[in-house]
């Protein structure tokens, strides 16, 4: 007979609701008629990042991990930004 | 959060003597066997790369003459023994590709990361032994795929090892179709092998160091392999993505890099070199680390400035990500962006210079023993300085206008890769051979190989600086077609003859390697009187490396320590009284 | 905050990442996956800025409603995955098995719907190389309702979503293996490393899709 440890879980189902709501919001914003394309893009990206953070922090448990693991998780991101931003300067300037 | 920990040894692994021959030597999960498997595979790769170079050099030295023995090559490659220009292009491409991906990289990383990491940190094996085995067996089909390009219609890839698009993306430009696709597929497969390996190396170094093996007690060879693994992990996937996009341009009609459909050739260059520059640090850092170990051993002195050596390795790892544009100064890139790359490239010379002075500082007032590995390590330092200095010229964008894509660049590449990495590898193989095979390589033949290689190597590559400044371009089939290059042709002939002698000299190393395996003098556990953990276990070590996990008490390189009579103090040697070592004083 | 019991290793090692090898290894591997998708997604962003005229408006060619539903499915599979993990943390073997099976089913459904979506797109004339000659979409383009050339749109769309789908498929296969092990009782409240590790991979794949759905379908 296994002992069943008492475990307190993060609010997984609430996060799911949040993700669904944010997705719905994205769909609404994407097809708005009278807003500038730039504003729509910025809002959509922010919504996507918010969703991604919810998954990373709660489902991948980064909210509860020690700093070393968080550092490991975000380490590749600056490199990604450097590559894209640097090459964009070829086309933007 | 969840703090489950795994036992250091997998529970169900049978003892070595119960395993069949196949499980012990072919599909082995033992990091030492896998390291030796990589050694054999990559020495074959080195030979293939060298052979391809010999064919290139014949063409450059004697452009109009049929090659002796060239008759065995088919009509599609060399009718009447005279190389076709298309075949020459594939030689150039494959020489670079084999040397980078199937020789130097697997030699430095596949061999030495695998062999040294568990032994030098006190672990029984890698964190994921079966994944390690998969890493090797994935590299083998990649090798086969790359070689098979020579046997398909249209021949092997011919757009350079850098495979610039649109030349590489459209078969109409090179006449090569399947060969170029095989190049892409082979590198994606090899990339998977490298990424899995890097995952293993990083996890092992972070989580499996023996008690007392603190970060700043790790030998520099392990530090450099650690940073190299991080570079591999993050850079190779970029190449994979690029190669996939190129493959799709070649086969699916996509337009990533093909201008008629809106594709961007500069995109290829940026993405490739974003991988390519960290790649060259992957090709030099492990060599630097192993050279540090060997020079300390040969000087009977701790490495001068150990901590700054570590910080220099980390700095090179960081800065290596923001210099890639220096390969593209003449591409038509945004000049403002180019300037930022010039500045960062000049910066990155600094940590390498720090390391060079520290190697000199290690030898200064040391009790220098010129063993064969020590000679190779010293040659590394000298040749790497030359290669690094030519790099400073190239880092300056205005100077690069004149020397880009000339033999000046070829000289630089070979001074850092051959003069640097390969000399370090000869030294490292000689140094760790006794641990791997339980026998010593012949010192006499080692000295002969070293001196002849050193002389012929400089005769081959130094004149290339002059050729480059004289305007001799890279990847050219027949330089004599240009009037301004004709006066330089005697230099080409001289280089070719030197190169043939250089290649022939490597026979000495090959024979030494093979014969010593069976007839070399039996090696003790510590034939070089070194201080690392690998020398505390028999040569070769048993499965699991130690009966009992060692405990580490001292920093690496405790040579000529005042604490003991002998001139080396093993990292795991326990002393009677608690003592403060030289480095920790 | 959930806590699992600590498994003591037989031999002490130096403090490393503070997590067991398999978890560290998976996070390290995910770093390489971030870089792989960076190459593909980064190229997409760059090409779109370089040649914006080759993209249609959201929803004109791609089927946003079906993909939105598919996105919701993938998010659901992330929930079932984390519920599986939560179950085994408490020693609930039944919950583990149930939620793993659900994750497999939903994950496979996602791939199935993607394949259906691809077949529809190709049928209408949207290829990695652009319009198929004589197709329905090509006619719309000729009539000026769609961009004249969409080669880059096709190239980037199929490559990014195709490799994402490939990663989901690999995930489903590994998930099947983990499910099989769960049915053989190989996971306990004190040692369920395999469940946590496949979970990390699965959530990562979901995360990539969250980004892709927004920047590929909605912008």
């Amino acid at each position: 007979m296994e002992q069943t440890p008492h475990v307190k879980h993060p609010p997984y189902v609430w996060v799911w609701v949040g993700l669904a709501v944010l997705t719905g919001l994205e769909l609404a914003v994407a097809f708005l008629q009278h807003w500038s394309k730039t504003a729509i893009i910025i809002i959509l990206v922010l919504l996507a990042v918010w969703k991604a953070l919810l998954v990373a922090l709660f489902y991948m448990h980064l909210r509860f991990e020690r700093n070393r693991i968080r550092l490991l998780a975000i380490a590749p991101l600056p490199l990604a930004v450097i590559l894209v931003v640097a090459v964009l300067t070829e086309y933007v300037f | 959060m969840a703090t489950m920990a795994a036992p250091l040894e997998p529970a169900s692994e049978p003892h070595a003597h119960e395993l069949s021959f196949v499980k012990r030597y072919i599909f082995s999960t033992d990091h030492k066997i896998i390291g030796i498997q990589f050694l054999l595979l990559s020495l074959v790769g080195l030979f293939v790369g060298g052979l391809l170079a010999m064919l290139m050099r014949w063409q450059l030295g004697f452009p109009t003459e049929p090659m002796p023995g060239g008759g065995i090559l088919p009509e599609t490659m060399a009718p009447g023994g005279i190389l076709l220009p298309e075949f020459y292009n594939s030689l150039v491409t494959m020489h670079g590709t084999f040397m980078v991906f199937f020789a130097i990289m697997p030699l430095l990383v596949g061999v030495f990361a695998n062999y040294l990491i568990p032994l030098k940190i006190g672990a029984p094996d890698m964190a994921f032994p079966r994944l390690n085995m998969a890493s090797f067996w994935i590299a083998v089909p990649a090798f086969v795929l790359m070689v098979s390009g020579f046997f398909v219609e249209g021949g092997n890839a011919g757009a350079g090892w850098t495979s610039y698009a649109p030349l590489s993306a459209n078969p109409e430009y090179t006449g090569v179709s399947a060969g170029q696709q095989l190049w892409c597929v082979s590198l994606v497969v090899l990339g998977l092998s490298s990424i899995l390996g890097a995952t293993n190396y990083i996890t092992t170094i972070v989580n499996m160091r023996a008690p007392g093996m603190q970060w700043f007690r790790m030998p520099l060879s392990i530090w450099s392999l650690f940073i190299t693994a991080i570079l591999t992990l993050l850079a190779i996937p970029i190449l994979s993505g690029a190669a996939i996009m190129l493959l799709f341009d070649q086969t699916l009609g996509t337009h990533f890099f093909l201008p008629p459909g809106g594709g961007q050739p500069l995109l290829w260059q940026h993405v490739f070199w974003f991988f390519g520059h960290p790649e060259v640090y992957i090709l030099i850092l492990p060599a630097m680390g192993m050279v540090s170990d060997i020079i300390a051993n040969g000087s009977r002195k701790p490495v001068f400035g150990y901590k700054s050596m570590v910080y220099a390795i980390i700095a090179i790892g960081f800065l290596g990500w923001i210099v890639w544009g220096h390969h593209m100064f003449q591409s038509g890139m945004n000049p403002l962006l180019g300037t930022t790359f010039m500045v960062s490239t000049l910066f990155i010379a600094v940590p390498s210079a720090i390391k060079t002075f520290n190697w000199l500082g290690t030898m200064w007032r040391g009790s220098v023993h010129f063993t064969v590995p020590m000679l190779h390590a010293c040659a590394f330092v000298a040749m790497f300085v030359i290669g690094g200095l030519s790099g400073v010229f190239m880092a300056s964008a205005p100077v690069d206008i004149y020397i880009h894509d000339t033999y000046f660049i070829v000289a630089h590449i070979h001074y850092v890769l051959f003069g640097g990495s390969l000399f370090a590898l000869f030294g490292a193989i000689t140094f760790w051979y006794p641990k791997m095979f339980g026998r010593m390589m012949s010192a006499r033949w080692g000295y002969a190989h070293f001196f002849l290689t050193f002389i012929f190597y400089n005769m081959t590559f130094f004149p290339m600086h002059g050729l480059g400044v004289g305007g001799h371009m890279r990847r050219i089939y027949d330089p004599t077609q240009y009037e301004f290059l004709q006066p330089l042709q005697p230099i080409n002939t001289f280089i070719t003859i030197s190169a043939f002698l250089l290649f022939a000299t490597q026979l000495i190393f090959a024979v030494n390697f093979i014969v010593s395996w069976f007839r070399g003098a039996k090696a003790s556990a510590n034939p070089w009187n070194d201080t690392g953990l690998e020398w505390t276990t028999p040569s070769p070590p048993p499965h699991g490396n130690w009966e009992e996990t060692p405990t580490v008490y001292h920093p690496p390189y405790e040579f000529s320590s005042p604490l003991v009579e002998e001139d080396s103090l093993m990292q795991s040697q326990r002393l009677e009284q608690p003592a403060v070592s030289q480095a920790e004083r | 905050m959930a806590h699992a019991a600590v498994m003591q290793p037989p031999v002490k090692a130096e403090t490393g990442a503070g997590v067991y090898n398999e978890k560290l290894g998976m996070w390290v591997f995910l770093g390489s996956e971030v870089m792989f998708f960076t190459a593909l997604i980064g190229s997409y962003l760059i090409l779109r800025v370089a040649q914006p005229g080759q993209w249609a408006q959201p929803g004109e060619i791609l089927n946003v409603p079906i993909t939105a539903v598919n996105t919701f499915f993938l998010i659901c599979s992330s929930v079932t995955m984390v519920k599986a993990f939560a179950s085994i943390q408490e020693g609930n073997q039944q919950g583990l098995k149930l939620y793993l099976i659900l994750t497999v089913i939903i994950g496979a459904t996602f791939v199935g719907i993607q394949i259906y979506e691809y077949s529809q797109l190709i049928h209408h004339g949207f290829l990695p190389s652009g319009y198929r000659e004589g197709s329905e979409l090509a006619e719309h383009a000729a009539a000026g309702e769609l961009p004249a050339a969409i080669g880059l749109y096709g190239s980037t769309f199929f490559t990014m979503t195709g490799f994402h789908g490939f990663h989901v498929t690999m995930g489903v296969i590994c998930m099947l293996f983990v499910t099989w092990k769960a049915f053989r009782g190989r996971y306990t409240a004190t040692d369920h490393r395999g469940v946590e590790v496949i979970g990390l991979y699965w959530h990562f794949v979901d995360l990539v899709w969250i980004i892709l759905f927004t920047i590929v379908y909605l912008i």
Side-chain angles (χ1 to χ4, degrees):
Chain A
M1 232 334 243
E2 243 186 274
Q3 67 169 158
T4 53
H6 176 64
V7 183
K8 185 165 170 271
H9 299 294
Y12 295 134
V13 179
W14 280 116
V15 170
W16 177 45
V17 170
L19 288 169
V21 166
L22 287 169
T23 307
L25 259 176
E26 281 192 286
L27 288 166
V29 168
F31 295 102
L32 283 175
Q33 292 300 324
H34 303 293
W35 290 34
S36 79
K37 190 74 180 175
T38 315
I40 291 182
I41 290 177
I42 291 176
I43 295 176
L44 284 176
V45 168
L46 284 174
L47 287 173
V49 168
W50 191 349
K51 284 162 69 180
L53 278 173
L54 281 174
V55 172
L57 289 172
F58 289 97
Y59 289 168
M60 298 175 88
H61 299 115
L62 280 179
R63 176 112 157 63
F64 314 101
E65 293 278 7
R66 56 185 69 193
N67 281 333
R68 276 176 249 187
I69 301 299
R70 291 180 187 162
L71 194 60
L72 178 59
I74 61 173
L77 296 176
L79 297 176
V81 170
I82 288 171
L83 173 62
V84 176
V85 168
V87 183
L88 279 176
T89 65
E90 297 276 25
Y91 301 100
V92 169
F93 290 117
Chain B
M1 215 7 233
T3 46
M4 290 177 282
L8 281 178
E9 196 129 22
S12 54
E13 187 107 347
H15 286 292
H17 62 267
E18 290 168 17
L19 295 172
S20 64
F21 179 85
V22 169
K23 276 217 142 157
R24 224 170 136 186
Y25 294 113
I26 314 286
F27 292 110
S28 171
T29 57
D30 186 321
H31 71 101
K32 301 183 289 294
I33 304 292
I34 294 170
I36 294 173
Q37 287 175 318
F38 267 113
L39 182 59
L40 299 176
L41 183 71
S42 33
L43 286 175
V44 173
L46 188 66
F47 172 73
V48 170
L51 198 64
L52 297 173
M54 293 307 108
L55 294 173
M56 280 166 61
R57 279 317 317 175
W58 175 268
Q59 168 59 26
L60 286 170
F62 309 101
T64 51
E65 303 187 27
M67 205 169 56
I72 57 166
L73 288 171
E75 291 281 306
T76 48
M77 294 181 184
I82 297 188
L83 305 181
L84 287 173
E86 293 79 8
F87 181 56
Y88 181 81
N89 289 343
S90 63
L91 287 175
V92 162
T93 305
M94 284 300 136
H95 167 72
T97 303
F98 267 94
M99 286 308 204
V100 169
F101 293 107
F102 294 98
I104 303 294
M105 204 171 152
L107 275 171
L108 286 173
V109 182
V111 178
F112 287 102
N114 262 311
Y115 203 86
L116 295 182
I117 290 174
L119 279 172
K120 288 184 87 77
I121 64 171
D125 206 307
M126 288 285 181
F128 310 116
R130 285 173 300 182
L131 200 68
N132 206 14
M133 176 181 76
S135 254
F136 174 73
W137 285 106
I138 293 173
V140 174
F143 188 102
V144 171
L145 282 168
M146 194 55 86
V147 173
S148 66
F150 279 116
F151 302 103
V152 298
E153 198 180 315
N156 217 330
W161 86 275
T162 52
S163 197
Y164 277 16
L167 180 69
S168 56
N170 188 337
E172 284 176 38
Y173 299 148
T174 50
V176 178
S177 168
Q180 203 71 50
Q181 294 159 23
L182 283 166
W183 186 90
C184 293
V185 176
S186 165
L187 287 184
V188 172
V189 174
L190 188 71
L192 182 63
S193 161
S194 299
I195 291 166
L196 295 179
T199 307
N200 232 332
Y201 309 143
I202 293 170
T203 307
T204 306
I205 291 173
V206 171
N207 259 10
M208 293 178 69
R209 285 164 291 126
M213 180 56 81
Q214 302 153 5
W215 284 101
F216 283 98
R217 281 188 181 164
M218 288 204 313
L220 289 169
S221 48
I222 304 302
W223 265 111
S224 59
L225 286 166
F226 178 60
I227 300 298
T228 300
I230 295 174
L231 292 179
T232 306
L233 182 82
L234 299 176
I236 293 276
I238 301 278
L239 174 68
S240 308
I244 283 166
M245 290 189 282
L246 181 61
L247 183 67
F248 284 0
D249 269 10
Q250 294 162 349
T251 55
L252 288 183
T254 55
H255 304 279
F256 290 104
F257 312 115
L258 289 164
Q264 303 293 309
L266 264 185
L267 178 65
W268 169 266
Q269 289 193 37
H270 274 293
V271 179
F272 179 84
W273 285 116
F274 189 73
F275 145 77
H277 199 84
E279 167 69 10
V280 313
Y281 290 114
I282 292 169
L283 298 174
I284 197 69
L285 282 177
M288 289 176 157
M290 294 191 291
V291 159
S292 293
D293 283 12
I294 294 171
I295 289 187
N297 178 284
S299 311
R300 314 312 294 166
K301 256 184 84 192
V303 169
F304 183 88
Y306 167 84
K307 269 208 166 158
S308 59
M309 288 294 242
V310 173
Y311 293 133
I313 293 172
I314 295 173
I316 292 172
F318 258 117
L319 288 171
W321 289 101
I322 54 170
V323 297
W324 82 88
H326 66 230
H327 299 272
M328 295 170 56
F329 283 145
Q330 309 313 316
S331 63
M333 66 184 293
N334 179 343
L336 182 61
L337 188 63
T339 312
T340 63
F341 283 121
M342 178 169 89
V343 172
S344 53
T345 305
L346 289 167
F347 252 112
I348 205 169
V350 174
S352 298
I354 290 174
K355 293 185 79 66
T356 306
F357 285 116
N358 284 0
W359 285 315
L360 297 178
T362 305
M363 292 177 67
W364 181 256
R365 304 231 170 160
S367 172
V368 177
H369 294 64
F370 284 110
T371 58
V372 172
M374 183 63 169
L375 278 174
H376 282 289
C378 294
F380 169 92
V381 178
M383 300 299 102
F384 179 73
V385 166
I386 296 176
L389 287 175
S390 60
V392 176
F393 283 89
M394 294 145 44
S396 170
V399 176
D400 193 52
I401 294 174
Y402 294 96
I403 54 179
H404 176 70
D405 252 3
T406 66
Y407 262 76
F408 194 88
I409 311 295
V410 179
H412 166 75
I413 295 172
H414 289 90
Y415 264 85
V416 289
L417 277 176
F418 192 136
S421 307
L422 195 52
F423 272 113
L425 279 165
F426 286 139
I429 292 174
T430 311
F431 193 72
W432 278 288
Y433 189 99
K435 185 55 58 181
M436 290 183 186
F437 300 107
R439 293 182 184 267
M440 303 296 290
M441 287 179 78
S442 155
R444 185 189 306 147
W445 289 112
Y447 286 119
H449 167 252
F450 170 75
F451 282 112
L452 288 173
T453 300
F454 187 78
I455 292 167
F456 293 139
Y457 154 81
N458 278 295
M459 282 167 61
T460 305
F461 294 107
F462 199 81
M464 290 185 183
H465 292 104
L467 276 184
V469 170
H472 192 304
M473 59 290 279
R474 285 173 79 169
R475 299 170 171 153
I476 183 172
Y477 170 73
D478 179 8
T480 59
Q481 69 181 292
Y482 294 115
E483 218 182 291
F484 76 98
L485 289 181
Q486 282 163 6
L488 296 175
Q489 191 53 24
I491 302 181
N492 258 328
T493 316
F494 177 79
I495 291 175
T496 294
I497 296 174
S498 309
F500 288 160
L501 292 169
L502 178 64
F503 186 71
T505 305
Q506 304 318 304
L507 191 63
I508 303 177
F509 180 81
V511 171
N512 193 356
F513 186 93
I514 295 171
V515 173
S516 304
W517 196 333
F518 303 103
R519 304 252 299 261
K522 285 244 159 135
S524 64
N526 192 0
W528 308 106
N529 293 309
D530 198 64
T531 59
L533 287 180
E534 74 271 35
W535 308 105
T536 64
T537 186
S539 304
H543 189 65
N545 298 337
W546 292 274
E547 296 272 324
E548 221 181 271
T549 304
T551 303
V552 175
Y553 301 100
H554 309 291
Y557 318 125
E558 288 295 282
F559 295 105
S560 308
S561 168
L563 300 175
V564 288
E565 290 249 337
E566 304 81 20
D567 82 334
S568 60
L569 174 58
M570 310 295 290
Q571 283 196 270
S572 54
Q573 188 173 331
R574 196 183 179 150
L575 298 177
E576 290 313 315
Q577 307 96 300
V580 180
S581 66
Q582 305 182 88
E584 288 169 341
R585 203 161 278 173
Chain C
M1 186 94 88
H3 299 279
V6 175
M7 259 180 66
Q8 287 295 348
V11 181
K12 260 178 47 202
E14 277 295 316
T15 312
V19 297
Y20 56 94
N21 287 355
E22 287 80 358
K23 185 155 151 181
L24 175 63
M26 179 52 79
W27 273 113
V28 168
F29 176 69
L30 290 180
S32 78
E33 293 281 56
V34 169
M35 297 308 282
F36 176 72
F37 281 105
T38 296
L40 300 184
I41 297 177
S43 296
Y44 159 68
L45 293 172
I46 290 160
L47 287 170
R48 188 139 187 200
V49 169
Q51 299 275 331
Q54 288 209 24
W55 268 262
Q57 293 303 310
E60 277 183 342
I61 294 181
L62 300 178
N63 188 333
V64 173
I66 285 208
T67 314
V69 169
N70 219 9
T71 303
F72 177 70
F73 281 161
L74 198 61
I75 291 172
C76 288
S77 74
S78 255
V79 186
T80 52
M81 179 70 238
V82 84
K83 294 290 272 176
F85 174 70
S87 298
I88 192 58
Q89 277 189 305
E90 292 171 343
N92 179 354
Q93 296 284 350
Q94 290 305 107
L96 172 70
K97 292 174 196 167
L98 168 69
Y99 283 117
L100 280 177
I101 290 181
L102 280 175
T103 310
V104 169
I105 291 174
I106 303 175
T109 305
F110 177 88
V111 178
I113 293 179
Q114 270 238 287
I115 293 175
Y116 168 74
E117 193 206 342
Y118 271 27
S119 70
Q120 287 297 299
L121 288 167
I122 292 170
H123 175 73
H124 289 301
F126 185 50
L127 300 177
S129 51
Y131 295 119
R132 190 178 57 243
E133 253 187 60
S135 65
E136 182 189 326
L137 287 172
E139 273 160 30
H140 284 293
E145 294 155 20
L146 287 175
I150 50 161
L152 293 180
Y153 190 12
S155 305
T156 52
F157 169 78
F158 281 103
T159 308
M160 286 188 290
T161 58
F163 271 96
H164 174 263
F166 172 73
H167 280 80
V168 176
T169 309
M170 291 297 113
V172 170
I173 293 172
C174 293
M175 193 78 63
L176 277 167
F177 177 66
V178 169
T179 309
W180 174 73
K181 276 183 82 169
F183 270 86
R184 299 198 58 186
R186 299 278 262 264
Y187 300 116
T188 65
T190 45
D191 183 7
H192 44 274
R193 289 172 281 161
V195 179
E196 184 167 22
V197 158
I198 189 68
L200 283 174
Y201 178 82
W202 193 254
H203 297 306
F204 175 76
V205 157
D206 183 27
L207 203 154
V208 171
W209 183 253
I210 285 171
I211 311 282
L212 279 184
F213 176 61
T214 306
I215 66 174
V216 172
Y217 288 83
L218 298 184
I219 290 181

